[in-house]
Amino acid sequence: MMSCRFTQRYQEVDVSNKLTQEEKATYEWQIWEPDFGEEGQEKLKNSAALVSRVGGLGSPVAYALAAAGIGKIVLAHGGNIKNSDLNRQILMTHDQLDKPRVECAKRRLLELNPALEVEAIPENVTEENAADLVGKVDVVFDCAPLFQERYAMNKACVEQGKPLVDAAMYSMEGRVTIIIPGETPCFACIYPEFPEGWKREFPVFGAVAAIAGNIAVCEGIKILAGFGTILAGYMLQYNARNMEFKKLKLKKNDSCPVCGDL
Amino acid sequence: MNIKISYYGQSRQLAGKGDEQLDAEDNVTANAVLKILSEKYGEAFSTLVLSDEGVLRKSILLSVNDEITDPNQTLSDNDELSLYPALSGG
Ligand SMILES: [Zn+2]
């Protein structure tokens, strides 16, 4: 069945770390999910995710991953907390203004889940560090504001065959798609050219960003645990102004300079 | 014939509306409609949507009736054309 093509877990994880009794109690309500169970929880525990920037999208992504019991999160985000971050970057707190974002995010994640391993890298993704960062994890969440970061992350994921969950937002809208290298269109297939006139500061509510972030984590959990049907090759687009949600089928570019040879 | 246009992302902000109806000539292409809209909404809209050659920019997804397509597509009466400029995070 075609729809099952992407439902297998993409990266094999060594599930050598078994669940403790305390973890079985903590995650009881999601272990009750029949498609997931203790086996799914064990896969999450033994998995690592990269979250590129813990801003409006990446904060709810990292928080939901921590709550779900993923084993390790690598956070990559430079800079210090500003007042104008606080409406949407929900891992940032007022008492940490002017202090590093990744450190605040790490503290908040560990308050929620002390068993979580957090690697906090005070840098944004670049062409230089993308391959290294992607190499540390099983799945990547792209939540970055700059298209340069997104293209660099896409290239590293395609080269390493790692699944990429791409989340984006603007105004009252958001989008999520999954890139499975060699199977789906990649980010450069979807947007072959850098957007002209893109402004990196734009209107948005934290709640609108968090919709995309939480959809992204639903997809990540399914990728890691291997169940359900993911948004591979489809762009989910929502408009919170009228609550219109739609899925658009994306097209691969056979001459894509990034994934055309796969 | 009648074409419905839906704007997303920055195109919505620059058009100042989410959707509208347009009376267009029969067999018009999607790109020809984008040129009409670019004249209507001015330079910022035009720069976002069209390249220097007057073709839809590749940083924008275009759909007709919710199917992603290319700007050469010929439109039919009551088709819905939607523009989705690339979005990001922050
Ligand atoms: Zn590609």
Side-chain angles (χ1 to χ4, degrees):
Chain A
M1 251 167 58
M2 282 298 283
S3 65
C4 289
R5 194 153 64 102
F6 303 114
T7 63
Q8 302 303 308
R9 197 185 174 289
Y10 198 71
Q11 298 287 108
E12 276 313 313
V13 158
D14 171 16
V15 286
S16 53
N17 276 329
K18 301 295 175 197
L19 298 177
T20 63
Q21 284 309 316
E22 190 190 344
E23 285 166 340
K24 285 179 190 176
T26 301
Y27 303 110
E28 187 174 35
W29 285 41
Q30 66 197 43
I31 287 171
W32 287 338
E33 172 53 47
D35 289 335
F36 183 70
E38 283 189 14
E39 202 185 315
Q41 193 64 52
E42 220 151 63
K43 286 177 180 169
L44 280 193
K45 179 180 177 172
N46 288 278
S47 294
L50 169 62
V51 183
S52 161
R53 298 236 202 177
V54 269
L57 298 164
S59 284
V61 164
Y63 207 57
L65 287 170
I70 197 161
K72 179 178 176 177
I73 302 180
V74 180
L75 305 174
H77 197 159
N80 295 340
I81 301 172
K82 298 185 292 190
N83 272 100
S84 61
D85 296 341
L86 298 175
N87 84 313
R88 66 196 182 284
Q89 302 191 7
I90 56 163
L91 291 181
M92 311 306 160
T93 53
H94 191 270
D95 64 315
Q96 298 294 305
L97 281 170
D98 301 319
K99 300 205 172 99
R101 290 192 181 96
V102 273
E103 289 307 319
C104 187
K106 180 177 178 176
R107 174 179 59 80
R108 295 257 281 145
L109 294 173
L110 293 175
E111 280 170 6
L112 174 65
N113 182 353
L116 176 68
E117 186 186 341
V118 181
E119 187 175 344
I121 296 166
E123 286 173 23
N124 300 321
V125 169
T126 62
E127 286 201 15
E128 286 69 43
N129 66 15
D132 243 22
L133 292 169
V134 168
K136 294 171 184 279
V137 300
D138 302 293
V139 64
V140 172
F141 292 86
D142 200 345
C143 307
L146 301 183
F147 284 93
Q148 290 92 330
E149 295 173 73
R150 290 189 178 244
Y151 286 118
M153 187 69 97
N154 176 63
K155 187 163 171 279
C157 286
V158 168
E159 284 169 0
Q160 297 182 38
K162 297 277 172 79
L164 172 61
V165 184
D166 185 272
M169 87 305 201
Y170 180 92
S171 183
M172 296 296 284
E173 297 168 35
R175 286 182 207 157
V176 180
T177 187
I178 314 296
I179 293 158
I180 304 289
E183 296 187 31
T184 70
C186 80
F187 190 77
C189 290
I190 304 168
Y191 304 116
E193 276 172 17
F194 191 93
E196 199 64 36
W198 171 257
K199 291 189 181 66
R200 61 151 303 165
E201 294 185 336
F202 51 82
V204 79
F205 286 90
V208 175
I211 296 171
N214 280 288
I215 290 171
V217 174
C218 286
E219 295 300 276
I221 289 171
K222 292 188 301 184
I223 290 169
L224 293 169
F227 71 97
T229 302
I230 58 174
L231 287 166
Y234 286 85
M235 178 77 78
L236 179 79
Q237 147 82 36
Y238 64 84
N239 183 355
R241 215 174 263 104
N242 57 4
M243 287 303 166
E244 171 200 69
F245 281 65
K246 56 173 137 181
K247 278 203 281 190
L248 298 163
K249 193 174 193 310
L250 298 167
K251 289 184 173 170
K252 202 169 189 311
N253 173 8
D254 292 330
S255 56
C256 174
V258 179
C259 77
D261 293 338
L262 294 182
Chain B
M1 63 181 190
N2 182 61
I3 303 294
K4 185 185 175 192
I5 299 134
S6 294
Y7 300 100
Y8 293 91
Q10 271 179 302
S11 70
R12 184 187 202 281
Q13 205 171 37
L14 295 174
K17 61 186 73 161
D19 56 70
E20 68 182 312
Q21 309 281 334
L22 187 82
D23 190 31
E25 283 175 35
D26 285 0
N27 300 317
V28 72
T29 64
N31 206 74
V33 168
L34 297 177
K35 283 187 173 173
I36 294 167
L37 297 172
S38 289
E39 287 199 3
K40 186 172 172 183
Y41 292 117
E43 199 182 332
F45 184 93
S46 178
T47 303
L48 175 76
V49 174
L50 295 179
S51 69
D52 294 345
E53 293 74 41
V55 182
L56 176 70
R57 286 196 189 275
K58 290 181 173 168
S59 53
I60 300 188
L61 292 172
L62 166 78
S63 76
V64 174
N65 305 330
D66 290 341
E67 297 269 346
I68 301 288
T69 187
D70 68 76
N72 297 323
Q73 181 166 333
T74 304
L75 302 178
S76 306
D77 194 24
N78 292 322
D79 273 354
E80 180 182 359
L81 184 157
S82 304
L83 287 175
Y84 309 91
L87 309 183
S88 195

